[in-house]
Amino acid sequence: KRLTVESNPEGFAMNHECFILMDSRTPLEVESRLLPEVLQCLINHILFHRALGGVVIPKDMVLLDDLFYVRCDDAKMEKQVRESSETAANALKKKEAGGKVTLTFYEKGMWGDKVPWEEWVMHFVVRTEPSFGHREEMLRRKELETRVKELMWLVLKIVSAHRE
């Protein structure tokens, strides 16, 4: 899905690409305890496939036992993604109706200000109720895994279509 955003929250006129992976009508439902890991997976996946310039060293990662993805093997980036994911997860856990996480790419403007050129929007609902037994737990995990895989394919499709 693609949407061009005409202004930013501060009200300055801007045009940049905005890719909505999950909107508020179809948010990704994630168990509270898995939310930081799922956020890290999706953010790392976007960052890896949007890496511009320089040498990118891939590092294989696993989520939910059977979902493999790569991230940039950079300690500074890993720390920032982990901390940002935890902060976002904690904020989402406080909202009953769920919320959104936005990953925004900036470039330096003429006056040293940050000018957004691309953003990725992800809506989440945090599931807090426990599952009823091992079978339901496994079904929920499989459902989450399937949905995350679909989102990862969507990222690849978007990035491939917008290579410059």
Side-chain angles (χ1 to χ4, degrees):
K1 298 174 184 175
R2 210 176 115 199
L3 171 72
T4 302
V5 177
E6 296 299 327
S7 64
N8 64 15
E10 289 80 30
F12 300 108
M14 306 260 170
N15 286 326
H16 62 272
E17 296 276 11
C18 179
F19 304 107
I20 301 171
L21 294 181
M22 305 90 84
D23 63 20
S24 58
R25 293 180 313 252
T26 58
L28 183 62
E29 284 190 43
V30 182
E31 289 182 39
S32 177
R33 64 185 172 81
L34 295 174
L35 188 58
E37 290 179 74
V38 170
L39 282 166
Q40 286 179 49
C41 170
L42 291 170
I43 291 170
N44 274 309
H45 187 71
I46 294 167
L47 290 172
F48 182 81
H49 292 287
R50 292 306 291 149
L52 303 172
V55 176
V56 178
I57 300 169
K59 182 172 182 178
D60 294 328
M61 302 298 293
V62 180
L63 175 69
L64 300 172
D65 302 324
D66 197 27
L67 179 65
F68 299 89
Y69 68 99
V70 292
R71 67 169 175 78
C72 300
D73 191 13
D74 179 280
K76 184 178 176 184
M77 185 183 294
E78 178 184 356
K79 181 180 185 232
Q80 188 172 2
V81 169
R82 185 179 59 253
E83 290 173 354
S84 296
S85 296
E86 289 169 3
T87 300
N90 289 333
L92 286 168
K93 289 174 187 178
K94 293 176 184 175
K95 298 181 177 187
E96 284 186 32
K100 71 178 178 176
V101 173
T102 303
L103 174 62
T104 306
F105 291 92
Y106 295 94
E107 59 189 355
K108 198 172 265 191
M110 289 179 18
W111 294 281
D113 53 336
K114 293 198 292 188
V115 179
W117 60 271
E118 182 176 285
E119 67 181 3
W120 296 76
V121 179
M122 300 168 275
H123 287 262
F124 294 90
V125 171
V126 181
R127 185 181 291 151
T128 56
E129 72 277 357
S131 58
F132 297 103
H134 181 70
R135 180 168 160 63
E136 184 179 346
E137 172 79 18
M138 296 311 292
L139 288 172
R140 284 183 177 185
R141 288 178 75 97
K142 200 62 165 164
E143 178 184 315
L144 176 61
E145 183 181 296
T146 299
R147 186 85 193 278
V148 172
K149 282 180 182 177
E150 289 170 356
L151 294 169
M152 292 170 72
W153 278 111
L154 180 58
V155 169
L156 288 173
K157 183 178 172 183
I158 290 169
V159 169
S160 295
H162 289 85
R163 292 225 187 265
E164 293 183 35

